[in-house]
Amino acid sequence: MSSAAEQEAVPEAEREDRAEGAARSVHPAAVLNGRRRPVPPVPVWPGAPTPLGARFRAGPDGAAGTNFALWAGGAEAVELCLFDGQGAGSRETRIPLTELTHEIWHGFVPGVLPGQRYGYRVHGRWDPWTGARWNPAKLLLDPYARAVDGDFGLPAEVYGHVRDWPQQHVADTVRDERDSAPYVPKGVVVHDDDDWADDHRPKTPWADSVIYEVHVRGFTKLHPDIPERLRGTYAGLAHPAAVEHLVRLGVTAVELLPVHQFAHEDHLLERGLRNYWGYNSIGYFAPHAAYASSGTAGQQVGEFKRMVRALHAAGIEVILDVVYNHTAEAGELGPTLSLKGIDNRGFYRLQPDARRYADYTGCGNTLHVVQPQVLRLITDSLRYWVTEMGVDGFRFDLAAALARSMHDVDMLSPFLAVIAQDPVLRRVKLIAEPWDVGAGGYQVGAFPPLWAEWNDRYRNAVRDFWHHALPDVREMGYRLSGSSDLYSWGGRRPYASVNYVTAHDGFTLRDLVSYDRKHNEANGEGNRDGTDDNRSWNCGAEGDSGDERIRALRRRQQRNLLTTLLLSTGVPMLVAGDEMGRTQRGNNNAYCQDNETSWLDWSLLREPGWRVLSDLTSRLIALRHRHPVLRRRAFFSGRSHSADGLRDLAWFTPRGAEMTEADWYAPAATLGMYLSGRDIPGRDGRGAPVLDDSFLIVLHAGERPVEFVLPGPPWAEHYEVLVDTSREEQAQAPGVTHRADGPITVPERSVLLLKVTG
């Protein structure tokens, strides 16, 4: 129980709750296996407090074994639990770890080899009113486990408190004494002997990157050319058929939705659903076991590494979407799986009453990143995935939550400071989702140099322009040219902006032009989940339509959105399947749809209407790769650097005149953007100036054609049309040339890309 001083500080109503919970601290049906099992005579040597986790190695006399080390601040005792066999027949051997160094419990156990399944039981006080939630009846996953065997089913036994206690307002204070070991996965000892000497990281410069957001399972689950036993796995993504599609598109990096070991929420399991996206992490070092084809007794580690090698060999980087802001243990009414039972107060942000959790994530808890042990956990995990698993960067889910100091978001926070000086992490790609759900959590444009950011202002502006919903074109001008208003400070570059029109969270590209509202009924939440701010347009009918005019308009709008994205300055991010017309049938929050709703339908590529969309995507990415003016490493100046007055960037109205201040503030459906290839900052690898072609991009969102006067000298003498999104066939350039100073007809709702030819 807590001290007298702590009791005095608790409000009377909560003291009554505490008394009620303490009086009923054992579930009526709960007994811890009748009695404590005797400790078998297993030898355990002192071992070492570092590195944390389970590391197979040779002991002091050369004997093979495993060193176990667990940080458990405030704990009174720690038992290492080894398991032989699986399921109900598994035999548990408990070994007390008696060595304690700087709050790290450790020991070396000779004879423990790779493949051994294990967990921990941590002893300490049960006093939820002060944040203490130790419960040795609960088997805990090692936070540093390199592999995890088994799945989280979340029955009542895995909760540290009595989940079904009649008085729910005090349920989290009543300790559950039932053993959770039969119901939870175990960590697996892994042999780290992999040699990366034959791996060659692509090291694609930021400005040259094209990111492809992909789900390991969903990308390959229905692929007809991948063997069935490999579909939905790391090996499936490494298969030549999967890699060939990525290479044909021309993307330079895959951004994998979470592959850290994660758990399914109990409310989903009750409805017969599962967490598909994976934003519910519980093991920050372990590849999610369900994505392995080769086994889950450590084989998933090698399979993941082979996938990375295969992608690297094709010139494709691997970026992980990581969730360090919260864990699958949720709030005070959530399960006890790992950190909550190791040191609840040391790992999680708690509210002033200490019983409940500070929740800046909307998921029940928030990791307390200010604490040294939490910083160590996160940075050790990140370094592990770079140095031992071969990945090339990370996208941080709800990164603003990681940047909070005690309460507010702080760009000088310990987390950002540690990353900035780390010799391994500061060299990889770092992408922030620059917001969380707490007060002051929206931080787009605020992250420091080294970081790129998901730019939702780009997404909103482009969607609104093509829906013809912008009051003027100022916002669109900034977003097309690299968002200098957000990122031109502190040495940041245009590639700090990760531009996207769609992401996993929201409508697919096809659904964006097919639905005015979300249709999430299949999620079982009464269509209340998912955003209502979709900025979408169904083109005249909700959902599938047999009207060919509507279908053609939708295909054109998708071409417009993709073309805008891939011609914009910044780093484009595509979502897997958008290039082939994937649909979720209006579900804009398919996080729990592990089925055909979310999986890629590869048969779409056999349909001419969608194949040409894929061809256009490939053509546009190839254009980016060929032309440095489309992937600039510095912001435009808008100033003339030559006697003829030609500037690196200029904007034009349909009259062929440069835009004035008044034009920027006026409603407009048409925008001309001139990019000069003569004035690109920087030099190539040999010190020579970077020169390129010049281009005129005309975006027209109006519902009727418009006459556009092509700018004459010094801008150009002639223009050649390279892309015209009004055309269905996009396998090659139209090849039409126009004289400058004359009008051309820009079809309704279309983009023209014109190259200056003289």
Side-chain angles (χ1 to χ4, degrees), residues 214-228:
V214 63
H215 190 287
V216 169
R217 179 171 167 82
F219 186 70
T220 60
K221 186 63 178 172
L222 299 177
H223 201 300
D225 298 328
I226 296 175
E228 189 169 355

Side-chain angles (χ1 to χ4, degrees), residues 69-143:
L70 176 74
W71 184 93
E76 296 172 359
V78 171
E79 291 177 302
L80 169 66
C81 306
L82 304 180
F83 293 86
D84 297 325
Q86 295 186 351
S90 179
R91 184 173 67 90
E92 176 181 355
T93 300
R94 301 186 189 180
I95 305 171
L97 295 181
T98 58
E99 298 294 325
L100 181 61
T101 304
H102 303 311
E103 299 189 298
I104 298 172
W105 301 77
H106 55 92
F108 180 87
V109 186
V112 171
L113 306 178
Q116 174 66 58
R117 300 159 69 241
Y118 73 100
Y120 291 106
R121 298 183 188 271
V122 181
H123 298 254
R125 293 183 306 117
W126 177 263
D127 188 9
W129 297 272
T130 61
R133 294 184 178 271
W134 285 284
N135 185 349
K138 308 306 166 184
L139 186 76
L140 306 175
L141 182 67
D142 179 5

Side-chain angles (χ1 to χ4, degrees), residues 345-369:
R345 296 177 298 188
F347 282 108
Y348 293 115
R349 290 179 180 267
L350 303 180
Q351 293 186 20
D353 67 1
R355 176 179 158 190
R356 296 173 177 83
Y357 293 74
D359 183 9
Y360 297 111
T361 67
C363 299
N365 66 54
T366 308
L367 280 177
H368 202 351
V369 182

